[in-house]
Amino acid sequence: MNLYRLDAPARAIAATFGVDAGNDPWTGDYVTPGRPAPVIAPDSRSGPRRYLRPKLWGVPPPPQGTEPVATVRNLASPFWIGTLRHPELRCLIPATSFALWSGPAGARRQRWASVSGRAIFAFAGIQRQNEDWPGFAMLTTDPNGLLDRLGPGVMPLILHAEDHERWLTAEWRDAAQLVAPFPSHLMAVGEQPPL
C-alpha cells in the first residue's frame, strides 16, 4: 500500500469530520510515502479540539532501519506498541480512494478501491510528533474477500465513521478491537479513482 488519493480540499475534509481546517493548504491530490497530506489529530495545546494537520507520510525508521516506515502491520511490535497505547499519538488519515495492483506478474493493472456511499473516509493511523520529522503511518490488516481476490496481501485499516472517536480516544485494548478488514459489501473497486 503505497498510494492513495484525497481528492477534496481541506474545507470539505474538515466539514466531513467536524474538525478545524486551520491553515491547511490541501486542495486535493494523490499521496505517496514522503509526500505531505492532512491528518486529523488533537492539538495538545487546545484540549480535545481536533484539527487537520499536514504531515509527511512516513515515520522515522526503527533503530536498525534506514527507510521511513509508511505502514504498520505488526501491532505487537515493541517499536509500535508504545505509540499505539497513547491515544494522543493516533490519528485519522482522510482518503477518497487507494490504489492496489492486481493480475499476474507482467500483466498487473492498477485498480482503485473506495468506500461506497462515502466520498471521504478515514484510515487508522499513528503519528510521531518529532519536530524535525512530523510524520504519520497507516495501519494495515488482512484484506477482505473483495480485495483478497485481487491479490494485494494487505489492506489499509479503514474505520467506520462511528468508530473514529473510539480510535482517537479509547484505551489500546479497546481500540485494538477495531483492527479488522473493512466489509467487502461496503466497498467498490474500479479502473479509475472515483470522482
Side-chain angles (χ1 to χ4, degrees):
M1 175 59 214
N2 62 5
L3 173 64
Y4 72 91
R5 295 201 63 89
L6 180 51
D7 292 317
R11 265 187 341 275
I13 300 164
T16 298
F17 293 93
V19 299
D20 189 330
N23 296 321
D24 195 309
W26 187 261
T27 58
D29 208 345
Y30 70 93
V31 187
T32 59
R35 283 189 57 141
V39 300
I40 297 166
D43 186 326
S44 58
R45 297 165 296 179
S46 62
R49 289 187 64 195
R50 296 198 177 90
Y51 296 84
L52 282 182
R53 290 283 184 250
K55 293 187 181 258
L56 297 175
W57 186 8
V59 296
Q64 292 78 27
T66 58
E67 297 295 318
V69 179
T71 60
V72 178
R73 180 71 170 112
N74 179 4
L75 304 184
S77 164
F79 186 70
W80 300 117
I81 196 66
T83 301
L84 291 165
R85 286 183 178 153
H86 294 279
E88 66 274 12
L89 297 180
R90 293 184 219 137
C91 63
L92 300 177
I93 306 167
T96 53
S97 62
F98 61 94
L100 54 106
W101 291 87
S102 66
R108 294 175 68 76
R109 294 173 35 196
Q110 187 177 57
R111 308 224 182 219
W112 291 90
S114 60
V115 174
S116 302
R118 285 177 49 199
I120 306 171
F121 57 93
F123 304 128
I126 58 166
Q127 58 176 337
R128 291 284 171 94
Q129 297 180 352
N130 181 326
E131 289 186 18
D132 296 331
W133 192 330
F136 69 92
M138 178 187 304
L139 275 68
T140 61
T141 188
D142 296 328
N144 60 26
L146 172 66
L147 300 189
D148 191 41
R149 286 191 296 276
L150 296 171
V154 298
M155 69 178 289
L157 178 53
I158 301 169
L159 295 170
H160 293 275
E162 62 269 22
D163 291 327
H164 293 170
E165 185 68 15
R166 186 174 167 199
W167 176 253
L168 293 173
T169 62
E171 290 186 21
W172 174 237
R173 189 176 303 163
D174 182 21
Q177 302 304 310
L178 301 174
V179 179
F182 199 76
S184 296
H185 70 280
L186 299 177
M187 295 188 70
V189 175
E191 300 286 330
Q192 301 292 327
L195 297 177

